Amino acid sequence: MPGRNFQTSLNFNAPGGEKIPAADDRTTESDGPDAISNVLSGVEGLQDAEVWIVDSHSLIFQVFHAIPPMTGPAGQPVAAIYGFCRDMLFLLEKKRPDYLICAFDMPGKTFRHDLYDDYKVHREEMPQELRPQIEGIHRFMEAMTLPVIQRESFEADDVLATLARQVEVAGGRCTLVTTDKDCRQLITEHVQLFNVRKNAYYNAEALLKDWGIRPDQVVDFQSLVGDSVDNVPGIPLIGPKIAKELLLKYETLDNILDHAEEISGNKRRENLVNGREMAHISRDLVRLVNDIPLEIDWDACRVTPINLPACQDLCREFGFRTLADQFANLDLGQGSAAPAAPTGIDPSTVDYQSVTSLEQLQELVELLEKQKLLSLDTETTSTNARWADLVGISIGWEVGKARYIPLRAPAGEPVLDQEKCVEILRPVLEDPKIGKIGQNLKYDLTVLRSAGVNVQGVVFDTMVAHYLLESGARSHGMDELSRRYLGHETVKIGELIGTGKNQKKMDEVPLETISFYASEDADIPLRLYPILKERLEEEKLLSLLLDVELPLIEALAELEYNGIKVDVDRLGVLSELYGNRMDRLEAEIHDIAGRPFNIASPKQLAQILFEERGLPIIRKTKTGASTDAEVLEQLAKIDPLPRKIMEYRQYAKLKNTYLDTLPHLINPKTGLVHTSFNQVVAATGRLSSNEPNLQNIPIRTEEGREIRSAFRPSQDDWVLVCADYSQIELRVLAHFSQDEALIEAYRQDQDIHAKVAAEVYEVPLDQVSSSQRRSAKAINFGIVYGQSAFGLAKSLDISKEEAFGFIDAYFKRYPGVDEFMEQTLQKCYEEGYVHTILNRKRKIDGVRSPAKRDRLARQLTMPERTAVNTVIQGSAADIIKLAMLRVRGKLRDCSFPVNVLLQIHDELVFETPKGNVNDLVPIIQAEMMAAAELAVPLVVDIESGPNWAECQPV
């Protein structure tokens, strides 16, 4: 229900112009319902109703600080939006209120600032990452039909107080969703508080246990104790314990002040005697206004069905897949919810059939040979392509027409012989003139290659196409694309095979069931193809798909098919070595701690660090004091134990992730490890890998080199050849910035880090110290990631002022970089996206206008850092992809054997006979250097050796 936002301005005067009474003279609940009858029209429905009112700003700040940073498809910060919507869904679904209202603070000062100039003077401004999320929250509230109430000159707490009183007078029950201690004064028999983080209610009994007082004493209690957060002064030397004792004896603040001379303790007594005025001011500040003349349309505040299409549109915009499902499944029990989404394609409108004989298959092939375009999909026994066996193949050739070819099925079901089937299909699948489309075709190409078919003619991949259109989207899966572009709910894999202990294998699914599912998987890409292609053309991204990403599918499928050899014996030696190191570290850790404890337990570690050793708590989480790596790194500066913990964790992580896991990932058929490369994960365009993730093996540490020593050529007398771009991201930065000093340094092949150090520190190049070069290196790479002075200070362990001086000096010496960043942000602010060297686009929201950004402060928000980084890192990713394609194309003509094995960041790994290295190196070097024309030379470092760790320059 749009337009339910009750935020009419209300000055600090009643509508008739009469001055609103001071807090001490206000009507109270004892004045009865007549005092507020003028604002209780239309509240008959509140009798026995459950009314929930949310202290919205408070909740937003809670989730903002509780949830790790999240970005949406456009790179915009979304954690607070996600957290707030999740909590609203929880309240609607689990608490099922009759009324749910969101109270907000309005910008500007309130009447309390008139009472006390320093009220909330220490409150920090809203964090930059949170500010742009407020609009998104309001848009969600409108789509969820949640009313918003706010009033000028008053705080949200005053709105809560007024609404709670109205509800109680009208005979309802009110729950205030807040952790604000001021609201404890509102507790009555019919009004309680609720902490959504703890899923816990707070009532008079909880208050008595917590503070030892009654709700009617809360205002007086806070007037004595004060509140440092809101800068409420209170009375010096009166803490919670003393305040409780005084109220227990004297009942009220006024009575305490009247008997101030009787209080023990000279200084405390003096403060009470002299603090009467300040105590009364504090009371006026903490007492909530419960009679704001709010004329509420209570009927409009009832919980009503959400606007499901609007909610799901917003979920797509912000990348909330889980929330979208929760919205779709939300049942408010009113019988008027939005109609359920369709559950599948109507069988009467499609032609999906199984091919159950070789004769039928031959007829199908004769039909397919006449087509210009086919949609291809495989059903298999594993999600890892090189481990998978074919269960069946589905092929579509026209919208609504598809066939499923079963190769494995439950006993008694018809299947075809795989070898004969493959031979019959081969002419069609290997014909490059018959275009092939599909969803995640790389997987199908790898599976079919393992079965002996080298598929040719890839012309479109719906998953990769959508990734180019919305690189930041949380899902590019077929289910999501079908729902979004076709309004159709596909059959889900879980419906076929189930979950948990009862989960089936794909070859255990009845033929009739799997046939429809598999045929749909071939049909949906045909339906999506024209839609996505048109959008790619509109966004000028079609050439990027056709010239780079589609050829890359075939290149990556080849890498996955090839695999790489891993020396199991070497892994075993290292596993034992790391285990011994961990045992030694564990003994040292227990010795320093003074007792044994479970190092892997955050709770036990926190007790050792913060309770027993008295170290400062750096950051808190929902479960207590944080002991993550960032916290331990800070604590290591003042205590030896955290450093040992970090060492132990590093060995444990590498041992568990690689040394003990890699042997289980060796394919029993090939004896090799076949990692899976993913094109559609990183929004910058970089590739990622999994099963195993080889991108995360440390490059520069001794431990990383030890693990790399287990990666070897697949054949005797062969060697690995590794080709790595030198400082490609900084060279891309020089190209885009056109900074003369940077360009000249690279053209002269100078040490760029030493060069920057010489410029920033104003020393001759040959006098740059190692520490100065290290600082310059941190600045160089920090610039690429939009690092702040705070971040640089942390990484170099220097003061923030010194770090700011470094950054400021850098930009003054390299003004082209400064101008490049400014132009990038300006363009992103105007257009809503940034693009890479190949015009790869990434939508980014939240970049501030130049008028709101202090350029000299060198402080970028997360969206702004993302914008700059995407241009640089994304362009580097473009170049390495082009290099892969150029090298692969050239190697096809080689007269000697060579395999491409891996792509790790800016590095390509090959294997070839040892005697062919000198012939291979110039080919690789020439093609990689020619991948892009930059303002500075592309430099490729090539090494070769018996394993990945022992490669030496060629």
Side-chain angles (χ1 to χ4, degrees), residues 242-282:
I242 299 299
K244 180 184 73 171
E245 293 173 355
L246 292 174
L247 287 170
L248 187 64
K249 183 176 182 179
Y250 296 104
E251 287 285 326
T252 67
L253 172 64
D254 288 332
N255 204 23
I256 292 170
L257 295 176
D258 289 342
H259 293 82
E261 296 288 354
E262 303 171 9
I263 307 302
S264 62
N266 294 334
K267 189 62 177 175
R268 186 181 300 122
R269 181 168 57 250
E270 180 184 340
N271 289 343
L272 281 167
V273 170
N274 298 329
R276 179 179 291 269
E277 181 181 357
M278 194 56 70
H280 286 155
I281 290 176
S282 297

Side-chain angles (χ1 to χ4, degrees), residues 77 90 157 200 339 347 429-430 501 605 698 710 726 732 749 751 757 834 877 894:
F90 170 79
D157 288 351
L429 297 182
E430 293 189 348
K501 295 180 180 179
L605 178 58
S726 173
V732 169
D749 197 24
D751 180 339
V834 293
C894 274

Side-chain angles (χ1 to χ4, degrees), residues 29-175:
E29 293 171 14
S30 62
D31 293 314
D34 291 341
I36 54 172
S37 60
N38 62 315
V39 291
L40 283 179
S41 57
V43 296
E44 295 81 3
L46 292 180
Q47 182 73 34
D48 297 323
E50 293 286 349
V51 180
W52 287 58
I53 308 169
V54 181
D55 184 359
S56 302
H57 268 124
S58 174
L59 186 58
I60 290 168
F61 272 86
Q62 279 183 41
V63 296
F64 174 75
H65 290 294
I67 300 176
M70 295 169 56
T71 55
Q76 72 274 43
V78 297
I81 304 174
Y82 173 83
F84 188 86
C85 292
R86 178 195 60 189
D87 287 349
M88 293 302 101
L89 277 167
F90 170 79
L91 296 178
L92 288 169
E93 187 172 25
K94 301 300 182 184
K95 303 305 176 182
R96 308 192 73 80
D98 299 307
Y99 299 79
L100 181 60
I101 300 168
C102 294
F104 272 83
D105 293 313
M106 290 194 75
K109 294 183 177 182
T110 69
F111 74 89
R112 292 180 176 87
H113 293 90
D114 296 329
L115 296 174
Y116 186 59
D117 289 340
D118 291 336
Y119 180 65
K120 292 191 176 183
V121 71
H122 300 310
R123 280 286 179 98
E124 296 182 1
E125 290 188 6
M126 184 180 293
Q128 287 291 345
E129 305 295 339
L130 176 57
R131 195 177 300 275
Q133 299 185 62
I134 301 299
E135 180 189 356
I137 289 172
H138 278 280
R139 291 170 63 196
F140 259 112
M141 285 190 294
E142 181 173 354
M144 295 171 72
T145 67
L146 296 178
V148 174
I149 300 181
Q150 53 189 1
R151 282 297 182 267
E152 186 179 352
S153 297
F154 292 93
E155 298 180 46
D157 288 351
D158 298 316
V159 174
L160 265 63
T162 299
L163 294 179
R165 185 179 177 213
Q166 290 189 17
V167 171
E168 184 170 23
V169 169
R173 294 179 297 276
C174 186
T175 301

Side-chain angles (χ1 to χ4, degrees), residues 532-546:
L532 296 177
K533 184 178 180 182
E534 182 179 1
R535 283 205 57 198
L536 287 168
E537 290 174 336
E538 291 172 354
E539 298 287 339
K540 297 181 172 55
L541 290 170
L542 187 58
S543 62
L544 178 59
L545 176 74
L546 299 179

Side-chain angles (χ1 to χ4, degrees), residues 256-562:
I256 292 170
L257 295 176
D258 289 342
H259 293 82
E261 296 288 354
E262 303 171 9
I263 307 302
S264 62
N266 294 334
K267 189 62 177 175
R268 186 181 300 122
R269 181 168 57 250
E270 180 184 340
N271 289 343
L272 281 167
V273 170
N274 298 329
R276 179 179 291 269
E277 181 181 357
M278 194 56 70
H280 286 155
I281 290 176
S282 297
R283 184 168 60 184
D284 290 342
L285 293 176
V286 300
R287 176 182 283 153
L288 301 180
V289 179
N290 66 3
D291 57 354
I292 304 173
L294 299 174
E295 297 183 7
I296 305 301
D297 180 357
W298 284 99
D299 286 337
C301 295
R302 285 183 178 275
V303 171
T304 57
I306 63 171
N307 183 340
L308 181 57
C311 287
Q312 293 191 319
D313 284 345
L314 288 169
C315 285
R316 282 190 287 269
E317 178 181 340
F318 294 112
F320 300 153
R321 290 180 61 201
T322 305
L323 285 185
D325 292 338
Q326 288 181 261
F327 279 122
N329 296 325
L330 180 63
D331 178 13
L332 298 178
Q334 291 137 323
S336 56
T343 57
I345 294 176
D346 183 352
S348 65
T349 66
V350 298
D351 178 11
Y352 295 169
Q353 298 180 34
S354 298
V355 177
T356 56
S357 70
L358 292 178
E359 290 75 19
Q360 289 179 344
L361 181 60
Q362 190 61 57
E363 291 176 6
L364 175 63
V365 167
E366 292 174 3
L367 173 66
L368 297 178
E369 286 176 332
K370 301 174 184 178
Q371 309 302 317
K372 294 183 179 180
L373 189 70
L374 304 178
S375 178
L376 181 65
D377 187 63
T378 59
E379 303 305 330
T380 66
T381 58
S382 172
T383 56
N384 187 304
R386 277 300 256 149
W387 289 67
D389 292 319
L390 276 169
V391 172
I393 302 170
S394 52
I395 300 176
W397 66 95
E398 184 179 319
V399 168
K401 295 183 178 181
R403 297 291 182 267
Y404 175 64
I405 306 160
L407 304 175
R408 293 170 182 249
E413 300 267 20
V415 294
L416 302 186
D417 178 81
Q418 180 170 315
E419 289 188 11
K420 293 179 180 178
C421 176
V422 164
E423 288 308 313
I424 294 175
L425 285 172
R426 187 187 304 280
V428 170
L429 297 182
E430 293 189 348
D431 186 348
K433 295 179 182 177
I434 301 177
K436 315 300 189 304
I437 72 170
Q439 169 82 10
N440 190 16
L441 273 175
K442 176 172 65 64
Y443 177 87
D444 303 305
L445 264 58
T446 306
V447 169
L448 288 168
R449 184 166 179 175
S450 298
V453 180
N454 191 8
V455 177
Q456 300 289 314
V458 173
V459 297
F460 204 83
D461 188 304
T462 50
M463 181 179 74
V464 177
H466 185 256
Y467 166 73
L468 292 181
L469 290 168
E470 298 188 26
S471 61
R474 298 195 183 279
S475 173
H476 309 287
M478 185 187 294
D479 293 343
E480 173 64 21
L481 300 188
S482 176
R483 184 184 304 118
R484 177 169 184 177
Y485 292 104
L486 305 176
H488 168 67
E489 289 291 337
T490 54
V491 178
K492 306 300 185 293
I493 184 70
E495 298 173 30
L496 266 71
I497 62 176
T499 58
K501 295 180 180 179
N502 298 321
Q503 189 177 79
K504 300 177 182 177
K505 297 178 181 178
M506 287 298 284
D507 54 6
E508 296 174 338
V509 178
L511 178 58
E512 183 179 357
T513 304
I514 196 174
S515 179
F516 186 92
Y517 169 84
S519 296
E520 184 182 62
D521 279 356
D523 185 19
I524 295 298
L526 285 169
R527 298 171 186 264
L528 291 170
Y529 172 58
I531 300 172
L532 296 177
K533 184 178 180 182
E534 182 179 1
R535 283 205 57 198
L536 287 168
E537 290 174 336
E538 291 172 354
E539 298 287 339
K540 297 181 172 55
L541 290 170
L542 187 58
S543 62
L544 178 59
L545 176 74
L546 299 179
D547 300 337
V548 180
E549 297 296 344
L550 291 183
L552 191 67
I553 289 175
E554 299 181 20
L556 293 177
E558 181 179 322
L559 264 65
E560 293 183 15
Y561 180 84
N562 289 338

